[in-house]
Amino acid sequence: SQTIHQWPATLVQPVGSPLSLECTVEGTSNPNLYWYRQAAGRGLQLLFYSVGIGQISSEVPQNLSASRPQDRQFILSSKKLLLSDSGFYLCAWAHPSGQQETQYFGPGTRLLVL
Amino acid sequence: AQSVTQLDSQVPVFEEAPVELRCNYSSSVSVYLFWYVQYPNQGLQLLLKYLSGSTLVKGINGFEAEFNKSQTSFHLRKPSVHISDTAEYFCAVSDLTGGFKTIFGAGTRLFVKA
């Protein structure tokens, strides 16, 4: 069966510090991968998605970046965090069927920027 | 472009009462429709989905939803809610054109009172 992991679970960082959040998927090959942000009281905002190693599509221009160094690894990064980067970050994967179906979400990382 | 509107940001309801969470979508092409549930401090999990066929879809935990193409709606219902149904519910849509993105609504917080 497939599983998805995210770490860390929670993170408190000062403004201007770097960020690295990691997401890994087990039990499937060549998944589509996604990063979402959920701000307090708001819905899900798609940040990045990837259909293969090294292939990243950005949905929202901001100070975040994503990388996919391995097939089942997806990393969200920032060089300098802003207060507005606080939120709940969710990674998700989907089967690479070419037609979007169910997304499977990780447990999330809660980021607080002070 | 697709969009999803969840008409209620919060729905308070008493235990054992029926509930309906409303969702409307817009798309110029045929779509897949989903409802996801998010319990506090967790990722999202799939509740049910409509891909094709019968317009009445049954999901986990006694929930069901009906796809209405003419009204572009996909409302979620449960005849009798439990305290444990307290969570945030997200309606989502993805199209059939081979894209890799799912658009989520802003979410509806269901609060079940004793």
Side-chain angles (χ1 to χ4, degrees), chain B residues 92-108:
Chain B
V93 60
S94 65
D95 67 43
L96 306 182
T97 60
F100 301 101
K101 297 183 291 183
T102 298
I103 306 300
F104 287 82
T108 297

Side-chain angles (χ1 to χ4, degrees), chain A residues 32 34 36 38 41-44 46 49 51 59 88 90 97-108 110, chain B residues 32 34 36 38 41-46 49 51 88 90 94-102 104-107:
Chain A
N32 295 337
Y34 307 83
Y36 292 90
Q38 186 177 22
R42 299 176 65 180
L44 273 70
L46 179 63
Y49 68 93
V51 300
E59 287 297 296
F88 193 46
L90 290 163
S97 64
Q99 288 188 339
Q100 188 59 63
E101 291 192 25
T102 306
Q103 293 195 11
Y104 301 90
F105 286 81
R110 188 162 299 283
Chain B
Y32 293 148
F34 307 82
Y36 288 84
Q38 183 182 31
N41 296 310
Q42 295 184 27
L44 280 69
Q45 56 182 282
L46 182 70
K49 62 183 177 183
L51 304 181
E88 187 139 22
F90 292 91
S94 65
D95 67 43
L96 306 182
T97 60
F100 301 101
K101 297 183 291 183
T102 298
F104 287 82

